[in-house]
C-alpha cells in the first residue's frame, strides 16, 4: 500500500507544482506554458493509468485472473528524464 500511495502522489505532486507555476506567471511564456501543460497532461494520464491498475488489481483479487503485459523500459526512463529535465539542467 505504501508503494501505491507513493506512485499516486508523484503525478499529483507534478500536476500541482506545474499548474501552480503556470498560475504564478509562467503562463505568460508561451513556450514554457506549452511544455508545462504537456507535462500536466502526461502526469494526469499516468494517474489515470494508476487508477486503472488499481481497478485491475481489485478485480484480480476477486476473480484470481492475471493479465501480464510488457513494459517499454526505454520509454519509461525517457519519460522520467523529460519530466525532470528542468531540474536536471538547473543542477547541470
Amino acid at each position: 500500500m505504501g508503494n501505491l500511495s507513493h506512485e499516486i502522489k508523484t503525478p499529483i505532486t507534478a500536476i500541482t507544482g506545474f499548474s501552480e507555476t503556470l498560475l504564478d506567471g509562467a503562463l505568460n511564456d508561451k513556450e514554457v506554458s506549452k511544455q508545462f501543460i504537456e507535462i500536466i497532461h502526461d502526469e494526469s494520464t499516468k494517474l489515470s493509468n494508476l487508477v486503472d491498475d488499481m481497478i485491475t488489481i481489485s478485480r484480480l483479487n476477486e476473480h484470481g485472473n492475471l493479465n501480464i503485459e510488457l513494459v517499454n523500459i526505454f520509454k519509461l526512463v525517457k519519460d522520467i528524464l523529460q519530466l525532470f529535465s528542468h531540474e536536471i539542467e538547473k543542477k547541470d
Side-chain angles (χ1 to χ4, degrees):
M1 187 67 154
N3 190 35
L4 177 61
S5 62
H6 174 74
E7 291 298 321
I8 290 174
K9 189 153 179 68
T10 301
I12 290 173
T13 301
I15 291 167
T16 302
F18 284 106
S19 61
E20 285 174 353
T21 303
L22 287 168
L23 291 171
D24 287 342
L27 194 56
N28 298 328
D29 183 330
K30 189 170 183 164
E31 185 176 320
V32 169
S33 63
K34 182 178 185 320
Q35 179 185 6
F36 282 12
I37 291 169
E38 287 173 352
I39 291 170
I40 290 169
H41 176 265
D42 292 344
E43 291 302 306
S44 64
T45 300
K46 289 177 189 176
L47 189 56
S48 178
N49 289 337
L50 284 169
V51 171
D52 289 343
D53 290 347
M54 288 171 40
I55 292 169
T56 300
I57 290 169
S58 176
R59 287 182 182 151
L60 286 174
N61 286 335
E62 291 175 13
H63 304 292
N65 296 329
L66 184 60
N67 182 14
I68 298 173
E69 67 180 74
L70 296 175
V71 175
N72 183 336
I73 298 295
F74 178 77
K75 182 180 179 327
L76 178 64
V77 171
K78 182 180 173 188
D79 290 347
I80 291 170
L81 288 173
Q82 181 182 3
L83 175 64
F84 293 103
S85 65
H86 184 69
E87 288 79 10
I88 291 169
E89 289 175 12
K90 282 192 328 190
K91 296 190 182 212
D92 196 25

